[in-house]
Amino acid sequence: MHPWDAPLDQSEVVDFVVAQGFGHLVAPGRREVPVIVPPQFVLDDAAGGFPRVLLHLARPIPVWAASDENPLVVVSVAGDWSYIPSAWKAIDAEDPALGIPTTYYAAAQLVGDAQPIDDDERKLDVLRRQLAAYEPDGPHADPQVHTRRLPGIRALRIRVREVSGKFKYGGNVDPAHRLAIAERLSARGGPGDAAASRHLLRRLGEPGPGS
């Protein structure tokens, strides 16, 4: 990737992944076409190293056979995207017709070793961690009340060995052009525009709305 799209550090990638909480689990196995499933997940911090990914999936999903063939998997996450029209690339006396359109987005890949979890207590621990992350104040019962349904799922821990990411938010242009695009994103207010603007301003070192 271009150097201006590279992550500032590993924590920028991890923070993005945590905020998204949803992506694609890619298990290549030993087959022509990898198995790809879109799970909700949480990250479990590992002291002094890469995070671990925790999730659960239905037992019939073929990802289990693929990870048995080859435990190396990828969690791919992309989001906070926004289309940038041609005219938005022009400021002052520049011809808006000559602007080059693009799409702003963030993406991350976590590469690691898949470790299936079949023990009921450890599966319950994963479910509790997911509920704590996504329903911290929700009136939900402890997953243990659904113990009889646990045989229908398996949990998965992924011990991450590599983290990479890309943050494509106009880092190749000067601050004046980026600030103009941030203003236009704010004015348009479409899906993804606020998130894209926050990334742009954060990476530029400018305060965002509400800062």
Side-chain angles (χ1 to χ4, degrees):
M1 80 183 88
H2 295 299
W4 50 79
D5 294 333
L8 301 176
D9 51 34
Q10 180 179 302
S11 66
E12 183 180 27
V13 181
V14 172
D15 288 348
F16 167 70
V17 171
V18 169
Q20 296 297 308
F22 187 86
H24 288 90
L25 172 62
V26 183
R30 302 294 181 193
R31 50 192 72 195
E32 265 188 79
V33 179
V35 177
I36 304 173
V37 294
Q40 198 94 41
F41 59 81
V42 295
L43 295 190
D44 176 29
D45 289 335
F50 291 127
R52 293 181 291 252
V53 181
L54 298 173
L55 57 94
H56 74 278
L57 294 165
R59 188 173 288 274
I61 290 177
V63 73
W64 304 114
S67 64
D68 284 344
E69 296 164 7
N70 174 13
L72 192 64
V73 298
V74 178
V75 175
S76 177
V77 180
D80 295 347
W81 71 272
S82 183
Y83 180 72
I84 308 301
S86 307
W88 285 20
K89 301 297 249 350
I91 62 173
D92 301 329
E94 295 171 347
D95 185 350
L98 299 180
I100 299 174
T102 191
T103 299
Y104 285 175
Y105 65 88
Q109 294 81 41
L110 308 180
V111 178
D113 299 294
Q115 300 176 327
I117 297 172
D118 287 311
D119 175 76
D120 281 356
E121 284 304 317
R122 293 167 67 204
K123 284 195 280 189
L124 287 169
D125 179 62
V126 171
L127 295 175
R128 289 180 183 120
R129 287 170 183 261
Q130 291 189 283
L131 281 169
Y134 294 108
E135 297 187 50
D137 303 312
H140 55 74
D142 186 89
Q144 190 168 12
V145 303
H146 303 297
T147 299
R148 66 181 182 83
R149 303 185 68 175
L150 289 178
I153 67 169
R154 299 180 82 188
L156 185 68
R157 176 191 294 113
I158 301 170
R159 292 191 177 275
V160 176
R161 60 164 81 167
E162 180 183 333
V163 174
S164 61
K166 179 176 181 178
F167 292 82
K168 185 175 182 288
Y169 293 103
N172 58 320
V173 299
D174 60 58
H177 283 82
R178 278 184 274 175
L179 289 172
I181 290 175
E183 290 177 5
R184 290 159 180 166
L185 286 167
S186 179
R188 183 172 67 182
D193 288 349
S197 179
R198 285 195 298 271
H199 283 297
L200 184 159
L201 292 171
R202 174 181 57 78
R203 290 172 64 84
L204 189 57
E206 294 284 339
S211 298

